[in-house]
mmCIF file of all heavy atoms in Angstrom:
data_model
loop_
_atom_site.group_PDB
_atom_site.id
_atom_site.type_symbol
_atom_site.label_atom_id
_atom_site.label_comp_id
_atom_site.label_asym_id
_atom_site.label_seq_id
_atom_site.Cartn_x
_atom_site.Cartn_y
_atom_site.Cartn_z
ATOM 1 N N ARG A 347 0.911 4.555 22.566
ATOM 2 C CA ARG A 347 1.440 5.871 22.206
ATOM 3 C C ARG A 347 0.319 6.864 21.882
ATOM 4 O O ARG A 347 0.570 7.960 21.404
ATOM 5 C CB ARG A 347 2.395 5.746 21.024
ATOM 6 C CG ARG A 347 3.630 4.904 21.367
ATOM 7 C CD ARG A 347 4.657 4.895 20.281
ATOM 8 N NE ARG A 347 5.131 6.226 19.944
ATOM 9 C CZ ARG A 347 6.021 6.919 20.654
ATOM 10 N NH1 ARG A 347 6.524 6.396 21.748
ATOM 11 N NH2 ARG A 347 6.404 8.117 20.261
ATOM 12 N N GLY A 348 -0.932 6.454 22.109
ATOM 13 C CA GLY A 348 -2.060 7.351 21.887
ATOM 14 C C GLY A 348 -2.493 7.459 20.439
ATOM 15 O O GLY A 348 -3.168 8.417 20.058
ATOM 16 N N ILE A 349 -2.120 6.481 19.643
ATOM 17 C CA ILE A 349 -2.474 6.499 18.214
ATOM 18 C C ILE A 349 -3.529 5.441 17.959
ATOM 19 O O ILE A 349 -3.319 4.254 18.223
ATOM 20 C CB ILE A 349 -1.229 6.224 17.341
ATOM 21 C CG1 ILE A 349 -0.160 7.283 17.608
ATOM 22 C CG2 ILE A 349 -1.607 6.167 15.863
ATOM 23 C CD1 ILE A 349 1.197 6.939 17.032
ATOM 24 N N GLN A 350 -4.687 5.862 17.462
ATOM 25 C CA GLN A 350 -5.764 4.933 17.138
ATOM 26 C C GLN A 350 -5.634 4.562 15.668
ATOM 27 O O GLN A 350 -5.944 5.361 14.791
ATOM 28 C CB GLN A 350 -7.131 5.575 17.421
ATOM 29 C CG GLN A 350 -8.291 4.637 17.212
ATOM 30 C CD GLN A 350 -8.244 3.416 18.136
ATOM 31 O OE1 GLN A 350 -7.922 3.517 19.307
ATOM 32 N NE2 GLN A 350 -8.560 2.261 17.583
ATOM 33 N N ALA A 351 -5.139 3.378 15.403
ATOM 34 C CA ALA A 351 -4.916 2.931 14.023
ATOM 35 C C ALA A 351 -6.032 1.999 13.575
ATOM 36 O O ALA A 351 -6.703 1.371 14.399
ATOM 37 C CB ALA A 351 -3.576 2.218 13.922
ATOM 38 N N THR A 352 -6.217 1.918 12.280
ATOM 39 C CA THR A 352 -7.146 0.963 11.692
ATOM 40 C C THR A 352 -6.383 0.141 10.664
ATOM 41 O O THR A 352 -5.380 0.573 10.107
ATOM 42 C CB THR A 352 -8.324 1.674 10.997
ATOM 43 O OG1 THR A 352 -7.797 2.535 9.986
ATOM 44 C CG2 THR A 352 -9.146 2.482 11.977
ATOM 45 N N CYS A 353 -6.875 -1.054 10.431
ATOM 46 C CA CYS A 353 -6.243 -1.925 9.442
ATOM 47 C C CYS A 353 -6.882 -1.696 8.081
ATOM 48 O O CYS A 353 -8.084 -1.492 7.976
ATOM 49 C CB CYS A 353 -6.396 -3.390 9.846
ATOM 50 S SG CYS A 353 -5.482 -3.797 11.339
ATOM 51 N N GLY A 354 -6.057 -1.726 7.070
ATOM 52 C CA GLY A 354 -6.532 -1.545 5.708
ATOM 53 C C GLY A 354 -5.546 -2.186 4.758
ATOM 54 O O GLY A 354 -4.672 -2.938 5.169
ATOM 55 N N GLY A 355 -5.657 -1.859 3.517
ATOM 56 C CA GLY A 355 -4.752 -2.439 2.537
ATOM 57 C C GLY A 355 -4.199 -1.392 1.609
ATOM 58 O O GLY A 355 -4.785 -0.337 1.428
ATOM 59 N N VAL A 356 -3.034 -1.710 1.070
ATOM 60 C CA VAL A 356 -2.410 -0.856 0.068
ATOM 61 C C VAL A 356 -2.027 -1.734 -1.112
ATOM 62 O O VAL A 356 -2.147 -2.955 -1.061
ATOM 63 C CB VAL A 356 -1.173 -0.113 0.635
ATOM 64 C CG1 VAL A 356 -1.574 0.846 1.728
ATOM 65 C CG2 VAL A 356 -0.130 -1.087 1.133
ATOM 66 N N GLY A 357 -1.526 -1.113 -2.146
ATOM 67 C CA GLY A 357 -1.165 -1.848 -3.353
ATOM 68 C C GLY A 357 -0.058 -2.858 -3.147
ATOM 69 O O GLY A 357 0.439 -3.050 -2.052
ATOM 70 N N GLY A 358 0.343 -3.484 -4.212
ATOM 71 C CA GLY A 358 1.271 -4.602 -4.144
ATOM 72 C C GLY A 358 2.730 -4.243 -4.092
ATOM 73 O O GLY A 358 3.570 -5.122 -4.160
ATOM 74 N N ALA A 359 3.096 -2.988 -3.979
ATOM 75 C CA ALA A 359 4.510 -2.631 -4.074
ATOM 76 C C ALA A 359 5.071 -2.055 -2.772
ATOM 77 O O ALA A 359 5.926 -1.202 -2.789
ATOM 78 C CB ALA A 359 4.719 -1.642 -5.213
ATOM 79 N N THR A 360 4.595 -2.519 -1.625
ATOM 80 C CA THR A 360 5.156 -2.058 -0.359
ATOM 81 C C THR A 360 6.254 -3.019 0.093
ATOM 82 O O THR A 360 6.367 -4.137 -0.419
ATOM 83 C CB THR A 360 4.083 -2.007 0.755
ATOM 84 O OG1 THR A 360 3.679 -3.343 1.052
ATOM 85 C CG2 THR A 360 2.892 -1.169 0.342
ATOM 86 N N CYS A 361 7.026 -2.602 1.076
ATOM 87 C CA CYS A 361 8.051 -3.495 1.628
ATOM 88 C C CYS A 361 7.404 -4.726 2.261
ATOM 89 O O CYS A 361 7.972 -5.812 2.239
ATOM 90 C CB CYS A 361 8.930 -2.748 2.618
ATOM 91 S SG CYS A 361 8.020 -1.937 3.949
ATOM 92 N N GLY A 362 6.202 -4.574 2.801
ATOM 93 C CA GLY A 362 5.503 -5.711 3.390
ATOM 94 C C GLY A 362 5.093 -6.744 2.362
ATOM 95 O O GLY A 362 5.029 -7.941 2.661
ATOM 96 N N ALA A 363 4.837 -6.313 1.144
ATOM 97 C CA ALA A 363 4.437 -7.246 0.085
ATOM 98 C C ALA A 363 5.532 -8.257 -0.197
ATOM 99 O O ALA A 363 5.250 -9.428 -0.474
ATOM 100 C CB ALA A 363 4.071 -6.479 -1.179
ATOM 101 N N VAL A 364 6.772 -7.827 -0.112
ATOM 102 C CA VAL A 364 7.894 -8.738 -0.350
ATOM 103 C C VAL A 364 7.840 -9.895 0.648
ATOM 104 O O VAL A 364 8.026 -11.059 0.280
ATOM 105 C CB VAL A 364 9.235 -7.974 -0.231
ATOM 106 C CG1 VAL A 364 10.416 -8.915 -0.321
ATOM 107 C CG2 VAL A 364 9.328 -6.891 -1.296
ATOM 108 N N LEU A 365 7.549 -9.578 1.898
ATOM 109 C CA LEU A 365 7.451 -10.616 2.921
ATOM 110 C C LEU A 365 6.208 -11.480 2.738
ATOM 111 O O LEU A 365 6.265 -12.708 2.859
ATOM 112 C CB LEU A 365 7.463 -9.974 4.311
ATOM 113 C CG LEU A 365 8.749 -9.238 4.673
ATOM 114 C CD1 LEU A 365 8.567 -8.445 5.957
ATOM 115 C CD2 LEU A 365 9.909 -10.208 4.780
ATOM 116 N N ARG A 366 5.075 -10.835 2.451
ATOM 117 C CA ARG A 366 3.837 -11.608 2.298
ATOM 118 C C ARG A 366 3.903 -12.565 1.113
ATOM 119 O O ARG A 366 3.276 -13.620 1.140
ATOM 120 C CB ARG A 366 2.645 -10.661 2.176
ATOM 121 C CG ARG A 366 2.338 -9.961 3.500
ATOM 122 C CD ARG A 366 0.986 -9.264 3.504
ATOM 123 N NE ARG A 366 0.779 -8.370 2.396
ATOM 124 C CZ ARG A 366 1.134 -7.087 2.366
ATOM 125 N NH1 ARG A 366 1.729 -6.545 3.407
ATOM 126 N NH2 ARG A 366 0.881 -6.348 1.310
ATOM 127 N N ARG A 367 4.681 -12.222 0.089
ATOM 128 C CA ARG A 367 4.824 -13.128 -1.067
ATOM 129 C C ARG A 367 5.496 -14.443 -0.679
ATOM 130 O O ARG A 367 5.318 -15.449 -1.362
ATOM 131 C CB ARG A 367 5.612 -12.452 -2.183
ATOM 132 C CG ARG A 367 4.779 -11.530 -3.009
ATOM 133 C CD ARG A 367 5.464 -11.091 -4.308
ATOM 134 N NE ARG A 367 4.588 -10.163 -4.977
ATOM 135 C CZ ARG A 367 4.610 -8.844 -4.796
ATOM 136 N NH1 ARG A 367 5.504 -8.300 -4.000
ATOM 137 N NH2 ARG A 367 3.752 -8.070 -5.424
ATOM 138 N N ILE A 368 6.277 -14.433 0.399
ATOM 139 C CA ILE A 368 6.909 -15.674 0.864
ATOM 140 C C ILE A 368 6.237 -16.160 2.155
ATOM 141 O O ILE A 368 6.843 -16.857 2.970
ATOM 142 C CB ILE A 368 8.441 -15.518 1.033
ATOM 143 C CG1 ILE A 368 8.789 -14.398 2.025
ATOM 144 C CG2 ILE A 368 9.110 -15.282 -0.314
ATOM 145 C CD1 ILE A 368 10.275 -14.321 2.393
ATOM 146 N N ASP A 369 4.969 -15.774 2.327
ATOM 147 C CA ASP A 369 4.118 -16.232 3.435
ATOM 148 C C ASP A 369 4.607 -15.813 4.818
ATOM 149 O O ASP A 369 4.404 -16.519 5.800
ATOM 150 C CB ASP A 369 3.919 -17.751 3.379
ATOM 151 C CG ASP A 369 3.134 -18.169 2.158
ATOM 152 O OD1 ASP A 369 2.211 -17.427 1.762
ATOM 153 O OD2 ASP A 369 3.449 -19.231 1.585
ATOM 154 N N VAL A 370 5.260 -14.662 4.900
ATOM 155 C CA VAL A 370 5.626 -14.087 6.196
ATOM 156 C C VAL A 370 4.626 -12.977 6.486
ATOM 157 O O VAL A 370 4.522 -12.019 5.711
ATOM 158 C CB VAL A 370 7.066 -13.506 6.171
ATOM 159 C CG1 VAL A 370 7.374 -12.795 7.484
ATOM 160 C CG2 VAL A 370 8.083 -14.598 5.881
ATOM 161 N N PRO A 371 3.842 -13.093 7.569
ATOM 162 C CA PRO A 371 2.878 -12.031 7.884
ATOM 163 C C PRO A 371 3.609 -10.708 8.126
ATOM 164 O O PRO A 371 4.617 -10.683 8.831
ATOM 165 C CB PRO A 371 2.179 -12.513 9.146
ATOM 166 C CG PRO A 371 2.718 -13.848 9.465
ATOM 167 C CD PRO A 371 3.873 -14.142 8.555
ATOM 168 N N ALA A 372 3.116 -9.651 7.547
ATOM 169 C CA ALA A 372 3.776 -8.351 7.675
ATOM 170 C C ALA A 372 2.731 -7.262 7.856
ATOM 171 O O ALA A 372 1.642 -7.328 7.286
ATOM 172 C CB ALA A 372 4.617 -8.063 6.438
#
Side-chain angles (χ1 to χ4, degrees):
R347 296 187 58 78
I349 301 168
Q350 185 61 41
T352 59
C353 293
V356 295
T360 67
C361 55
V364 174
L365 296 170
R366 289 193 308 273
R367 279 193 183 90
I368 58 172
D369 294 324
V370 175

